[in-house]
Amino acid sequence: MWEFETECQEVIQRTPNIKSFRFPIRGKNVRYRPGQFFFFTIKIRGEEALHHFSFSSSPTEEGYIEFTKRITASDFSQALNVLRPGDWARLRGPEGSFTLPARLRPLALLSGGIGITPLRSMLRYIADKDLPFEVVLLYSNNSVEDIAFRHELDSIAGGHPGVRVEYVISGPTVPGDWPGKRGFITKDLVAEVIPDYMTRLFYISGPPRMVIALEEQLSALGVPSAQLKRDSFTGYD
Ligand SMILES: Cc1cc2nc3c(=O)[nH]c(=O)nc-3n(C[C@H](O)[C@H](O)[C@H](O)COP(=O)(O)OP(=O)(O)OC[C@H]3O[C@@H](n4cnc5c(N)ncnc54)[C@H](O)[C@@H]3O)c2cc1C
């Protein structure tokens, strides 16, 4: 377990309402595994406020920790929205067992919206370490503009034959030439995109309602719950 005070190093706008926040580590012995989360504290009107965030960075990206947040109307979100390089923060972690398996096996990552954060960390790690995992990411968003990390995910898939990324757009505005899938992630879509689904270890990540809905779809396909790992972003439903 580690804990340290630091200051914001960089803020990156990922989509119209998603931002990444980076914090320097500066040589401290700060370890974590892709898929884990940490406790993050800032001051709002002088009072400390704490939230949990998954690492969206990978341990292979040295020198900083990054998390990525959907900005809502909440006090905490609005304080983050005006966070600037140099502003104080405290980080404590790591926590969580939503992590890659110890032995190689085919994976299926299912995610919607902001749920991509721990999966981005895993895919960056797999790519940087050149790990021979067979991975399919099925990533759903309301619109094409809402896809966070799209360019990077495409580039990871392009450079690693074992990694495939499939986007799904669930909202009404889909460009006519959209090459990806449309609608919601249903059992039929899983079976179509991941025909060998029974052999894969599933990771589901997102707001609780989405995680439950996807669990139900997988259960209807006969995927045993022992073959599922879940990361539920409480606070969004
Ligand atoms: C393991 C884990 C990993 C997460 N990773 C991410 C991430 O990578 N990116 C991201 O955007 N969000 C993540 N979240 C959710 C995040 O911690 C916030 O809860 C969420 O962003 C909502 O914050 P808000 O500013 O929109 O609203 P807020 O008003 O701050 O929260 C909405 C409501 O939820 C309650 N709440 C806030 N946090 C929690 C919590 N952790 N548990 C239960 N109730 C809570 C608040 O009291 C409030 O009533 C994660 C949550 C967990 C538990």
PDB file of all heavy atoms in Angstrom, residues 4-11 20-26 28 38 40-43 63-67 80 83-91:
ATOM      1  N   PHE A   4       0.597   9.128  -1.096  1.00  0.00           N
ATOM      2  CA  PHE A   4       1.463  10.307  -1.235  1.00  0.00           C
ATOM      3  C   PHE A   4       0.657  11.518  -1.679  1.00  0.00           C
ATOM      4  O   PHE A   4      -0.408  11.393  -2.281  1.00  0.00           O
ATOM      5  CB  PHE A   4       2.626  10.049  -2.199  1.00  0.00           C
ATOM      6  CG  PHE A   4       2.219   9.706  -3.604  1.00  0.00           C
ATOM      7  CD1 PHE A   4       2.153  10.692  -4.584  1.00  0.00           C
ATOM      8  CD2 PHE A   4       1.913   8.405  -3.961  1.00  0.00           C
ATOM      9  CE1 PHE A   4       1.788  10.375  -5.890  1.00  0.00           C
ATOM     10  CE2 PHE A   4       1.538   8.091  -5.259  1.00  0.00           C
ATOM     11  CZ  PHE A   4       1.486   9.073  -6.220  1.00  0.00           C
ATOM     12  N   GLU A   5       1.216  12.673  -1.338  1.00  0.00           N
ATOM     13  CA  GLU A   5       0.615  13.928  -1.788  1.00  0.00           C
ATOM     14  C   GLU A   5       1.372  14.363  -3.033  1.00  0.00           C
ATOM     15  O   GLU A   5       2.577  14.155  -3.148  1.00  0.00           O
ATOM     16  CB  GLU A   5       0.729  14.984  -0.696  1.00  0.00           C
ATOM     17  CG  GLU A   5      -0.080  14.582   0.512  1.00  0.00           C
ATOM     18  CD  GLU A   5      -0.161  15.671   1.580  1.00  0.00           C
ATOM     19  OE1 GLU A   5       0.225  16.816   1.300  1.00  0.00           O
ATOM     20  OE2 GLU A   5      -0.613  15.338   2.681  1.00  0.00           O
ATOM     21  N   THR A   6       0.655  14.938  -3.960  1.00  0.00           N
ATOM     22  CA  THR A   6       1.273  15.350  -5.205  1.00  0.00           C
ATOM     23  C   THR A   6       0.480  16.523  -5.767  1.00  0.00           C
ATOM     24  O   THR A   6      -0.350  17.109  -5.071  1.00  0.00           O
ATOM     25  CB  THR A   6       1.312  14.135  -6.181  1.00  0.00           C
ATOM     26  OG1 THR A   6       1.975  14.517  -7.383  1.00  0.00           O
ATOM     27  CG2 THR A   6      -0.062  13.611  -6.514  1.00  0.00           C
ATOM     28  N   GLU A   7       0.767  16.861  -7.001  1.00  0.00           N
ATOM     29  CA  GLU A   7      -0.052  17.892  -7.620  1.00  0.00           C
ATOM     30  C   GLU A   7      -0.358  17.470  -9.056  1.00  0.00           C
ATOM     31  O   GLU A   7       0.350  16.646  -9.631  1.00  0.00           O
ATOM     32  CB  GLU A   7       0.624  19.269  -7.573  1.00  0.00           C
ATOM     33  CG  GLU A   7       1.830  19.445  -8.449  1.00  0.00           C
ATOM     34  CD  GLU A   7       3.060  18.679  -7.942  1.00  0.00           C
ATOM     35  OE1 GLU A   7       3.203  18.469  -6.717  1.00  0.00           O
ATOM     36  OE2 GLU A   7       3.840  18.262  -8.799  1.00  0.00           O
ATOM     37  N   CYS A   8      -1.429  18.026  -9.571  1.00  0.00           N
ATOM     38  CA  CYS A   8      -1.839  17.682 -10.929  1.00  0.00           C
ATOM     39  C   CYS A   8      -0.735  18.095 -11.907  1.00  0.00           C
ATOM     40  O   CYS A   8      -0.160  19.178 -11.794  1.00  0.00           O
ATOM     41  CB  CYS A   8      -3.148  18.410 -11.238  1.00  0.00           C
ATOM     42  SG  CYS A   8      -3.731  18.110 -12.895  1.00  0.00           S
ATOM     43  N   GLN A   9      -0.442  17.168 -12.824  1.00  0.00           N
ATOM     44  CA  GLN A   9       0.605  17.450 -13.817  1.00  0.00           C
ATOM     45  C   GLN A   9      -0.010  17.869 -15.158  1.00  0.00           C
ATOM     46  O   GLN A   9       0.473  18.759 -15.828  1.00  0.00           O
ATOM     47  CB  GLN A   9       1.394  16.148 -14.024  1.00  0.00           C
ATOM     48  CG  GLN A   9       2.490  16.193 -15.032  1.00  0.00           C
ATOM     49  CD  GLN A   9       3.178  14.824 -15.122  1.00  0.00           C
ATOM     50  OE1 GLN A   9       2.548  13.775 -15.293  1.00  0.00           O
ATOM     51  NE2 GLN A   9       4.462  14.824 -14.990  1.00  0.00           N
ATOM     52  N   GLU A  10      -1.121  17.201 -15.504  1.00  0.00           N
ATOM     53  CA  GLU A  10      -1.690  17.434 -16.837  1.00  0.00           C
ATOM     54  C   GLU A  10      -3.154  17.008 -16.862  1.00  0.00           C
ATOM     55  O   GLU A  10      -3.518  16.036 -16.197  1.00  0.00           O
ATOM     56  CB  GLU A  10      -0.890  16.586 -17.844  1.00  0.00           C
ATOM     57  CG  GLU A  10      -1.150  16.939 -19.273  1.00  0.00           C
ATOM     58  CD  GLU A  10      -0.338  16.076 -20.244  1.00  0.00           C
ATOM     59  OE1 GLU A  10       0.509  15.269 -19.786  1.00  0.00           O
ATOM     60  OE2 GLU A  10      -0.595  16.209 -21.454  1.00  0.00           O
ATOM     61  N   VAL A  11      -3.950  17.736 -17.619  1.00  0.00           N
ATOM     62  CA  VAL A  11      -5.356  17.355 -17.821  1.00  0.00           C
ATOM     63  C   VAL A  11      -5.548  17.155 -19.328  1.00  0.00           C
ATOM     64  O   VAL A  11      -5.124  17.999 -20.117  1.00  0.00           O
ATOM     65  CB  VAL A  11      -6.307  18.461 -17.318  1.00  0.00           C
ATOM     66  CG1 VAL A  11      -7.766  18.065 -17.538  1.00  0.00           C
ATOM     67  CG2 VAL A  11      -6.039  18.771 -15.843  1.00  0.00           C
ATOM     68  N   SER A  20      -8.967  13.056 -18.671  1.00  0.00           N
ATOM     69  CA  SER A  20      -7.943  12.312 -17.927  1.00  0.00           C
ATOM     70  C   SER A  20      -7.129  13.294 -17.105  1.00  0.00           C
ATOM     71  O   SER A  20      -6.880  14.431 -17.536  1.00  0.00           O
ATOM     72  CB  SER A  20      -6.998  11.590 -18.892  1.00  0.00           C
ATOM     73  OG  SER A  20      -7.657  10.569 -19.569  1.00  0.00           O
ATOM     74  N   PHE A  21      -6.696  12.820 -15.922  1.00  0.00           N
ATOM     75  CA  PHE A  21      -5.909  13.641 -14.994  1.00  0.00           C
ATOM     76  C   PHE A  21      -4.647  12.861 -14.649  1.00  0.00           C
ATOM     77  O   PHE A  21      -4.724  11.690 -14.248  1.00  0.00           O
ATOM     78  CB  PHE A  21      -6.714  13.926 -13.727  1.00  0.00           C
ATOM     79  CG  PHE A  21      -7.997  14.649 -14.012  1.00  0.00           C
ATOM     80  CD1 PHE A  21      -9.155  13.935 -14.330  1.00  0.00           C
ATOM     81  CD2 PHE A  21      -8.051  16.035 -14.001  1.00  0.00           C
ATOM     82  CE1 PHE A  21     -10.344  14.594 -14.622  1.00  0.00           C
ATOM     83  CE2 PHE A  21      -9.244  16.706 -14.292  1.00  0.00           C
ATOM     84  CZ  PHE A  21     -10.394  15.986 -14.598  1.00  0.00           C
ATOM     85  N   ARG A  22      -3.496  13.517 -14.794  1.00  0.00           N
ATOM     86  CA  ARG A  22      -2.216  12.842 -14.518  1.00  0.00           C
ATOM     87  C   ARG A  22      -1.517  13.475 -13.323  1.00  0.00           C
ATOM     88  O   ARG A  22      -1.551  14.705 -13.159  1.00  0.00           O
ATOM     89  CB  ARG A  22      -1.289  12.950 -15.728  1.00  0.00           C
ATOM     90  CG  ARG A  22      -1.741  12.058 -16.836  1.00  0.00           C
ATOM     91  CD  ARG A  22      -0.733  12.006 -17.960  1.00  0.00           C
ATOM     92  NE  ARG A  22      -1.241  11.105 -18.976  1.00  0.00           N
ATOM     93  CZ  ARG A  22      -0.717  10.950 -20.170  1.00  0.00           C
ATOM     94  NH1 ARG A  22       0.366  11.625 -20.516  1.00  0.00           N
ATOM     95  NH2 ARG A  22      -1.261  10.112 -21.029  1.00  0.00           N
ATOM     96  N   PHE A  23      -0.856  12.599 -12.549  1.00  0.00           N
ATOM     97  CA  PHE A  23      -0.171  13.020 -11.326  1.00  0.00           C
ATOM     98  C   PHE A  23       1.214  12.390 -11.299  1.00  0.00           C
ATOM     99  O   PHE A  23       1.335  11.169 -11.484  1.00  0.00           O
ATOM    100  CB  PHE A  23      -0.980  12.592 -10.091  1.00  0.00           C
ATOM    101  CG  PHE A  23      -2.338  13.207 -10.112  1.00  0.00           C
ATOM    102  CD1 PHE A  23      -3.377  12.590 -10.788  1.00  0.00           C
ATOM    103  CD2 PHE A  23      -2.557  14.439  -9.526  1.00  0.00           C
ATOM    104  CE1 PHE A  23      -4.629  13.188 -10.874  1.00  0.00           C
ATOM    105  CE2 PHE A  23      -3.813  15.045  -9.601  1.00  0.00           C
ATOM    106  CZ  PHE A  23      -4.836  14.415 -10.278  1.00  0.00           C
ATOM    107  N   PRO A  24       2.268  13.187 -11.095  1.00  0.00           N
ATOM    108  CA  PRO A  24       3.622  12.632 -11.132  1.00  0.00           C
ATOM    109  C   PRO A  24       3.897  11.737  -9.935  1.00  0.00           C
ATOM    110  O   PRO A  24       3.403  11.983  -8.832  1.00  0.00           O
ATOM    111  CB  PRO A  24       4.519  13.876 -11.090  1.00  0.00           C
ATOM    112  CG  PRO A  24       3.675  14.957 -10.519  1.00  0.00           C
ATOM    113  CD  PRO A  24       2.253  14.630 -10.820  1.00  0.00           C
ATOM    114  N   ILE A  25       4.708  10.709 -10.143  1.00  0.00           N
ATOM    115  CA  ILE A  25       5.084   9.787  -9.060  1.00  0.00           C
ATOM    116  C   ILE A  25       6.429  10.186  -8.469  1.00  0.00           C
ATOM    117  O   ILE A  25       6.659  10.082  -7.290  1.00  0.00           O
ATOM    118  CB  ILE A  25       5.145   8.330  -9.591  1.00  0.00           C
ATOM    119  CG1 ILE A  25       3.762   7.867 -10.015  1.00  0.00           C
ATOM    120  CG2 ILE A  25       5.701   7.409  -8.529  1.00  0.00           C
ATOM    121  CD1 ILE A  25       3.765   6.491 -10.653  1.00  0.00           C
ATOM    122  N   ARG A  26       7.324  10.618  -9.289  1.00  0.00           N
ATOM    123  CA  ARG A  26       8.650  11.091  -8.879  1.00  0.00           C
ATOM    124  C   ARG A  26       9.413  10.100  -8.004  1.00  0.00           C
ATOM    125  O   ARG A  26       9.674  10.354  -6.824  1.00  0.00           O
ATOM    126  CB  ARG A  26       8.534  12.406  -8.111  1.00  0.00           C
ATOM    127  CG  ARG A  26       8.049  13.526  -8.990  1.00  0.00           C
ATOM    128  CD  ARG A  26       8.584  14.861  -8.559  1.00  0.00           C
ATOM    129  NE  ARG A  26       7.843  15.920  -9.218  1.00  0.00           N
ATOM    130  CZ  ARG A  26       6.775  16.494  -8.718  1.00  0.00           C
ATOM    131  NH1 ARG A  26       6.334  16.162  -7.533  1.00  0.00           N
ATOM    132  NH2 ARG A  26       6.142  17.427  -9.400  1.00  0.00           N
ATOM    133  N   LYS A  28       8.881   7.532  -6.321  1.00  0.00           N
ATOM    134  CA  LYS A  28       8.365   6.789  -5.163  1.00  0.00           C
ATOM    135  C   LYS A  28       8.073   5.358  -5.606  1.00  0.00           C
ATOM    136  O   LYS A  28       7.842   5.091  -6.772  1.00  0.00           O
ATOM    137  CB  LYS A  28       7.101   7.443  -4.632  1.00  0.00           C
ATOM    138  CG  LYS A  28       7.372   8.831  -4.098  1.00  0.00           C
ATOM    139  CD  LYS A  28       6.136   9.380  -3.429  1.00  0.00           C
ATOM    140  CE  LYS A  28       6.377  10.798  -2.953  1.00  0.00           C
ATOM    141  NZ  LYS A  28       6.464  11.766  -4.060  1.00  0.00           N
ATOM    142  N   PHE A  38      -7.615   3.212  -7.117  1.00  0.00           N
ATOM    143  CA  PHE A  38      -6.978   3.895  -5.979  1.00  0.00           C
ATOM    144  C   PHE A  38      -7.939   4.934  -5.406  1.00  0.00           C
ATOM    145  O   PHE A  38      -8.983   5.224  -6.001  1.00  0.00           O
ATOM    146  CB  PHE A  38      -5.641   4.523  -6.401  1.00  0.00           C
ATOM    147  CG  PHE A  38      -5.750   5.594  -7.444  1.00  0.00           C
ATOM    148  CD1 PHE A  38      -5.709   6.934  -7.110  1.00  0.00           C
ATOM    149  CD2 PHE A  38      -5.891   5.250  -8.786  1.00  0.00           C
ATOM    150  CE1 PHE A  38      -5.808   7.921  -8.081  1.00  0.00           C
ATOM    151  CE2 PHE A  38      -5.992   6.228  -9.761  1.00  0.00           C
ATOM    152  CZ  PHE A  38      -5.950   7.566  -9.404  1.00  0.00           C
ATOM    153  N   PHE A  40      -8.619   8.778  -4.271  1.00  0.00           N
ATOM    154  CA  PHE A  40      -8.126  10.066  -4.755  1.00  0.00           C
ATOM    155  C   PHE A  40      -8.811  11.185  -3.963  1.00  0.00           C
ATOM    156  O   PHE A  40     -10.037  11.224  -3.870  1.00  0.00           O
ATOM    157  CB  PHE A  40      -8.475  10.181  -6.247  1.00  0.00           C
ATOM    158  CG  PHE A  40      -8.148  11.500  -6.838  1.00  0.00           C
ATOM    159  CD1 PHE A  40      -6.832  11.812  -7.168  1.00  0.00           C
ATOM    160  CD2 PHE A  40      -9.130  12.445  -7.057  1.00  0.00           C
ATOM    161  CE1 PHE A  40      -6.514  13.038  -7.716  1.00  0.00           C
ATOM    162  CE2 PHE A  40      -8.828  13.673  -7.604  1.00  0.00           C
ATOM    163  CZ  PHE A  40      -7.515  13.960  -7.933  1.00  0.00           C
ATOM    164  N   THR A  41      -8.007  12.069  -3.387  1.00  0.00           N
ATOM    165  CA  THR A  41      -8.567  13.155  -2.570  1.00  0.00           C
ATOM    166  C   THR A  41      -8.141  14.512  -3.138  1.00  0.00           C
ATOM    167  O   THR A  41      -6.962  14.705  -3.465  1.00  0.00           O
ATOM    168  CB  THR A  41      -8.039  13.050  -1.120  1.00  0.00           C
ATOM    169  OG1 THR A  41      -8.356  11.738  -0.620  1.00  0.00           O
ATOM    170  CG2 THR A  41      -8.658  14.096  -0.212  1.00  0.00           C
ATOM    171  N   ILE A  42      -9.120  15.418  -3.238  1.00  0.00           N
ATOM    172  CA  ILE A  42      -8.813  16.821  -3.538  1.00  0.00           C
ATOM    173  C   ILE A  42      -9.519  17.670  -2.484  1.00  0.00           C
ATOM    174  O   ILE A  42     -10.301  17.140  -1.675  1.00  0.00           O
ATOM    175  CB  ILE A  42      -9.293  17.275  -4.943  1.00  0.00           C
ATOM    176  CG1 ILE A  42     -10.747  16.843  -5.182  1.00  0.00           C
ATOM    177  CG2 ILE A  42      -8.369  16.793  -6.029  1.00  0.00           C
ATOM    178  CD1 ILE A  42     -11.345  17.377  -6.475  1.00  0.00           C
ATOM    179  N   LYS A  43      -9.250  18.973  -2.497  1.00  0.00           N
ATOM    180  CA  LYS A  43      -9.962  19.862  -1.569  1.00  0.00           C
ATOM    181  C   LYS A  43     -11.013  20.652  -2.339  1.00  0.00           C
ATOM    182  O   LYS A  43     -10.727  21.208  -3.401  1.00  0.00           O
ATOM    183  CB  LYS A  43      -8.971  20.818  -0.908  1.00  0.00           C
ATOM    184  CG  LYS A  43      -8.138  20.107   0.148  1.00  0.00           C
ATOM    185  CD  LYS A  43      -7.313  21.081   0.956  1.00  0.00           C
ATOM    186  CE  LYS A  43      -6.449  20.272   1.932  1.00  0.00           C
ATOM    187  NZ  LYS A  43      -5.139  20.867   2.157  1.00  0.00           N
ATOM    188  N   GLY A  63       6.430   7.155 -14.343  1.00  0.00           N
ATOM    189  CA  GLY A  63       6.552   8.548 -13.928  1.00  0.00           C
ATOM    190  C   GLY A  63       5.249   9.228 -13.547  1.00  0.00           C
ATOM    191  O   GLY A  63       5.252  10.286 -12.927  1.00  0.00           O
ATOM    192  N   TYR A  64       4.122   8.645 -13.928  1.00  0.00           N
ATOM    193  CA  TYR A  64       2.846   9.271 -13.546  1.00  0.00           C
ATOM    194  C   TYR A  64       1.754   8.219 -13.384  1.00  0.00           C
ATOM    195  O   TYR A  64       1.870   7.097 -13.883  1.00  0.00           O
ATOM    196  CB  TYR A  64       2.409  10.318 -14.582  1.00  0.00           C
ATOM    197  CG  TYR A  64       2.121   9.756 -15.947  1.00  0.00           C
ATOM    198  CD1 TYR A  64       0.865   9.261 -16.268  1.00  0.00           C
ATOM    199  CD2 TYR A  64       3.103   9.704 -16.934  1.00  0.00           C
ATOM    200  CE1 TYR A  64       0.591   8.740 -17.524  1.00  0.00           C
ATOM    201  CE2 TYR A  64       2.838   9.186 -18.196  1.00  0.00           C
ATOM    202  CZ  TYR A  64       1.582   8.710 -18.486  1.00  0.00           C
ATOM    203  OH  TYR A  64       1.314   8.187 -19.728  1.00  0.00           O
ATOM    204  N   ILE A  65       0.713   8.648 -12.669  1.00  0.00           N
ATOM    205  CA  ILE A  65      -0.527   7.868 -12.569  1.00  0.00           C
ATOM    206  C   ILE A  65      -1.601   8.690 -13.255  1.00  0.00           C
ATOM    207  O   ILE A  65      -1.659   9.912 -13.087  1.00  0.00           O
ATOM    208  CB  ILE A  65      -0.885   7.653 -11.085  1.00  0.00           C
ATOM    209  CG1 ILE A  65      -0.052   6.513 -10.514  1.00  0.00           C
ATOM    210  CG2 ILE A  65      -2.373   7.368 -10.908  1.00  0.00           C
ATOM    211  CD1 ILE A  65      -0.250   6.319  -9.035  1.00  0.00           C
ATOM    212  N   GLU A  66      -2.462   8.007 -13.992  1.00  0.00           N
ATOM    213  CA  GLU A  66      -3.565   8.720 -14.641  1.00  0.00           C
ATOM    214  C   GLU A  66      -4.886   8.059 -14.289  1.00  0.00           C
ATOM    215  O   GLU A  66      -4.956   6.834 -14.199  1.00  0.00           O
ATOM    216  CB  GLU A  66      -3.372   8.666 -16.170  1.00  0.00           C
ATOM    217  CG  GLU A  66      -4.491   9.354 -16.935  1.00  0.00           C
ATOM    218  CD  GLU A  66      -4.453   9.004 -18.423  1.00  0.00           C
ATOM    219  OE1 GLU A  66      -3.668   9.632 -19.160  1.00  0.00           O
ATOM    220  OE2 GLU A  66      -5.211   8.101 -18.840  1.00  0.00           O
ATOM    221  N   PHE A  67      -5.911   8.877 -14.059  1.00  0.00           N
ATOM    222  CA  PHE A  67      -7.271   8.341 -14.049  1.00  0.00           C
ATOM    223  C   PHE A  67      -8.104   9.160 -15.014  1.00  0.00           C
ATOM    224  O   PHE A  67      -7.715  10.256 -15.437  1.00  0.00           O
ATOM    225  CB  PHE A  67      -7.884   8.315 -12.639  1.00  0.00           C
ATOM    226  CG  PHE A  67      -8.299   9.650 -12.085  1.00  0.00           C
ATOM    227  CD1 PHE A  67      -9.552  10.183 -12.353  1.00  0.00           C
ATOM    228  CD2 PHE A  67      -7.430  10.378 -11.295  1.00  0.00           C
ATOM    229  CE1 PHE A  67      -9.937  11.417 -11.835  1.00  0.00           C
ATOM    230  CE2 PHE A  67      -7.802  11.614 -10.774  1.00  0.00           C
ATOM    231  CZ  PHE A  67      -9.056  12.129 -11.046  1.00  0.00           C
ATOM    232  N   LEU A  80     -13.192  18.829 -10.211  1.00  0.00           N
ATOM    233  CA  LEU A  80     -12.196  18.242 -11.132  1.00  0.00           C
ATOM    234  C   LEU A  80     -12.148  19.016 -12.440  1.00  0.00           C
ATOM    235  O   LEU A  80     -11.088  19.188 -13.037  1.00  0.00           O
ATOM    236  CB  LEU A  80     -12.566  16.792 -11.454  1.00  0.00           C
ATOM    237  CG  LEU A  80     -12.148  15.739 -10.458  1.00  0.00           C
ATOM    238  CD1 LEU A  80     -12.578  14.365 -10.969  1.00  0.00           C
ATOM    239  CD2 LEU A  80     -10.633  15.738 -10.255  1.00  0.00           C
ATOM    240  N   LEU A  83      -9.776  21.616 -12.138  1.00  0.00           N
ATOM    241  CA  LEU A  83      -8.439  21.261 -11.630  1.00  0.00           C
ATOM    242  C   LEU A  83      -7.401  21.636 -12.689  1.00  0.00           C
ATOM    243  O   LEU A  83      -7.605  21.394 -13.877  1.00  0.00           O
ATOM    244  CB  LEU A  83      -8.371  19.758 -11.356  1.00  0.00           C
ATOM    245  CG  LEU A  83      -7.263  19.315 -10.404  1.00  0.00           C
ATOM    246  CD1 LEU A  83      -7.622  19.670  -8.960  1.00  0.00           C
ATOM    247  CD2 LEU A  83      -7.040  17.795 -10.504  1.00  0.00           C
ATOM    248  N   ARG A  84      -6.320  22.241 -12.218  1.00  0.00           N
ATOM    249  CA  ARG A  84      -5.280  22.729 -13.138  1.00  0.00           C
ATOM    250  C   ARG A  84      -3.935  22.163 -12.722  1.00  0.00           C
ATOM    251  O   ARG A  84      -3.748  21.801 -11.547  1.00  0.00           O
ATOM    252  CB  ARG A  84      -5.188  24.267 -13.057  1.00  0.00           C
ATOM    253  CG  ARG A  84      -6.433  24.993 -13.492  1.00  0.00           C
ATOM    254  CD  ARG A  84      -6.577  25.002 -15.020  1.00  0.00           C
ATOM    255  NE  ARG A  84      -7.850  25.571 -15.435  1.00  0.00           N
ATOM    256  CZ  ARG A  84      -8.956  24.881 -15.709  1.00  0.00           C
ATOM    257  NH1 ARG A  84      -8.966  23.572 -15.572  1.00  0.00           N
ATOM    258  NH2 ARG A  84     -10.057  25.482 -16.111  1.00  0.00           N
ATOM    259  N   PRO A  85      -2.967  22.091 -13.657  1.00  0.00           N
ATOM    260  CA  PRO A  85      -1.623  21.680 -13.282  1.00  0.00           C
ATOM    261  C   PRO A  85      -1.140  22.489 -12.085  1.00  0.00           C
ATOM    262  O   PRO A  85      -1.318  23.714 -12.029  1.00  0.00           O
ATOM    263  CB  PRO A  85      -0.803  21.973 -14.538  1.00  0.00           C
ATOM    264  CG  PRO A  85      -1.788  21.800 -15.655  1.00  0.00           C
ATOM    265  CD  PRO A  85      -3.098  22.328 -15.108  1.00  0.00           C
ATOM    266  N   GLY A  86      -0.581  21.787 -11.083  1.00  0.00           N
ATOM    267  CA  GLY A  86      -0.095  22.449  -9.858  1.00  0.00           C
ATOM    268  C   GLY A  86      -1.053  22.302  -8.690  1.00  0.00           C
ATOM    269  O   GLY A  86      -0.657  22.475  -7.539  1.00  0.00           O
ATOM    270  N   ASP A  87      -2.313  21.932  -8.935  1.00  0.00           N
ATOM    271  CA  ASP A  87      -3.287  21.792  -7.838  1.00  0.00           C
ATOM    272  C   ASP A  87      -2.999  20.529  -7.020  1.00  0.00           C
ATOM    273  O   ASP A  87      -2.666  19.478  -7.560  1.00  0.00           O
ATOM    274  CB  ASP A  87      -4.721  21.733  -8.384  1.00  0.00           C
ATOM    275  CG  ASP A  87      -5.195  23.106  -8.874  1.00  0.00           C
ATOM    276  OD1 ASP A  87      -4.481  24.097  -8.630  1.00  0.00           O
ATOM    277  OD2 ASP A  87      -6.263  23.157  -9.526  1.00  0.00           O
ATOM    278  N   TRP A  88      -3.230  20.632  -5.696  1.00  0.00           N
ATOM    279  CA  TRP A  88      -2.906  19.566  -4.731  1.00  0.00           C
ATOM    280  C   TRP A  88      -3.841  18.361  -4.865  1.00  0.00           C
ATOM    281  O   TRP A  88      -5.045  18.511  -5.139  1.00  0.00           O
ATOM    282  CB  TRP A  88      -3.030  20.149  -3.313  1.00  0.00           C
ATOM    283  CG  TRP A  88      -2.779  19.145  -2.218  1.00  0.00           C
ATOM    284  CD1 TRP A  88      -1.579  18.860  -1.647  1.00  0.00           C
ATOM    285  CD2 TRP A  88      -3.750  18.310  -1.563  1.00  0.00           C
ATOM    286  NE1 TRP A  88      -1.739  17.890  -0.676  1.00  0.00           N
ATOM    287  CE2 TRP A  88      -3.052  17.538  -0.599  1.00  0.00           C
ATOM    288  CE3 TRP A  88      -5.130  18.126  -1.696  1.00  0.00           C
ATOM    289  CZ2 TRP A  88      -3.700  16.606   0.222  1.00  0.00           C
ATOM    290  CZ3 TRP A  88      -5.768  17.188  -0.882  1.00  0.00           C
ATOM    291  CH2 TRP A  88      -5.057  16.451   0.064  1.00  0.00           C
ATOM    292  N   ALA A  89      -3.283  17.171  -4.596  1.00  0.00           N
ATOM    293  CA  ALA A  89      -4.109  15.949  -4.500  1.00  0.00           C
ATOM    294  C   ALA A  89      -3.369  14.923  -3.647  1.00  0.00           C
ATOM    295  O   ALA A  89      -2.144  14.997  -3.488  1.00  0.00           O
ATOM    296  CB  ALA A  89      -4.369  15.365  -5.880  1.00  0.00           C
ATOM    297  N   ARG A  90      -4.148  13.968  -3.080  1.00  0.00           N
ATOM    298  CA  ARG A  90      -3.540  12.848  -2.355  1.00  0.00           C
ATOM    299  C   ARG A  90      -4.010  11.545  -3.010  1.00  0.00           C
ATOM    300  O   ARG A  90      -5.206  11.405  -3.337  1.00  0.00           O
ATOM    301  CB  ARG A  90      -3.951  12.870  -0.884  1.00  0.00           C
ATOM    302  CG  ARG A  90      -3.247  11.739  -0.099  1.00  0.00           C
ATOM    303  CD  ARG A  90      -3.751  11.582   1.324  1.00  0.00           C
ATOM    304  NE  ARG A  90      -3.653  12.798   2.102  1.00  0.00           N
ATOM    305  CZ  ARG A  90      -4.685  13.442   2.649  1.00  0.00           C
ATOM    306  NH1 ARG A  90      -5.904  12.976   2.509  1.00  0.00           N
ATOM    307  NH2 ARG A  90      -4.508  14.537   3.344  1.00  0.00           N
ATOM    308  N   LEU A  91      -3.089  10.595  -3.192  1.00  0.00           N
ATOM    309  CA  LEU A  91      -3.406   9.324  -3.828  1.00  0.00           C
ATOM    310  C   LEU A  91      -3.023   8.198  -2.882  1.00  0.00           C
ATOM    311  O   LEU A  91      -1.953   8.250  -2.256  1.00  0.00           O
ATOM    312  CB  LEU A  91      -2.618   9.151  -5.137  1.00  0.00           C
ATOM    313  CG  LEU A  91      -3.128   9.900  -6.380  1.00  0.00           C
ATOM    314  CD1 LEU A  91      -3.011  11.405  -6.260  1.00  0.00           C
ATOM    315  CD2 LEU A  91      -2.363   9.437  -7.614  1.00  0.00           C
TER     316      LEU A  91
END
